[in-house]
């Protein structure tokens, strides 16, 4: 079972690459947390694999976005533009169970 959790070097490089692009795109501090994960989606109409990116800015404000493709297929132009950063902020009062 644990063997299935191991990721290929290409997968790990892709997650690092998407994290670096996110850090550069949104001008995040080097110490800012950036999380890149590939998740499976079983909902009808949902791609089988999608990439989820979350990052935190000053005051522990969380931002997130999804890319509807596997992490290894993500290219830099897939990331949202930097001017959308405030729109990516998560509102703790809003439930995102649907998406």
């Amino acid at each position: 079972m644990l063997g299935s959790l191991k990721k290929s070097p290409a997968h790990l490089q892709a997650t690092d690459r998407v994290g670096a692009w996110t850090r550069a795109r949104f001008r995040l501090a080097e110490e800012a947390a950036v999380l890149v994960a590939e998740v499976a989606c079983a909902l009808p109409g949902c791609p089988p694999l999608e990439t989820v990116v979350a990052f935190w800015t000053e005051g522990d404000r969380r931002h997130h976005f999804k890319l509807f493709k596997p992490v290894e297929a993500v290219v830099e132009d897939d990331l949202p533009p930097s001017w959308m950063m405030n729109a990516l902020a998560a509102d703790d009062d809003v439930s995102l169970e649907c998406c």
Side-chain angles (χ1 to χ4, degrees):
M1 168 108 175
L2 290 178
S4 66
L5 297 177
K6 291 184 180 178
K7 301 294 182 183
S8 72
H11 181 90
L12 296 175
Q13 289 172 350
T15 58
D16 288 346
R17 184 173 57 245
V18 172
W21 289 338
T22 300
R23 188 174 301 286
R25 171 76 46 101
F26 297 105
R27 296 183 183 96
L28 303 177
E30 193 62 35
E31 65 275 0
V34 177
L35 170 78
V36 178
E38 185 177 85
V39 296
C41 181
L43 296 174
C46 195
L49 290 175
E50 54 192 26
T51 301
V52 178
V53 180
F55 60 92
W56 287 258
T57 57
E58 300 162 5
D60 288 333
R61 188 167 190 200
R62 181 174 53 92
H63 302 71
H64 63 266
F65 59 92
K66 285 184 181 183
L67 303 168
F68 299 109
K69 57 175 71 175
V71 70
E72 290 180 43
V74 172
V75 296
E76 191 171 5
D77 285 343
D78 292 330
L79 276 65
S82 61
W83 55 264
M84 283 190 67
M85 189 161 99
N86 288 335
L88 301 174
D91 186 351
D92 292 333
D93 296 335
V94 175
S95 172
L96 297 176
E97 292 177 16
C98 69
C99 358

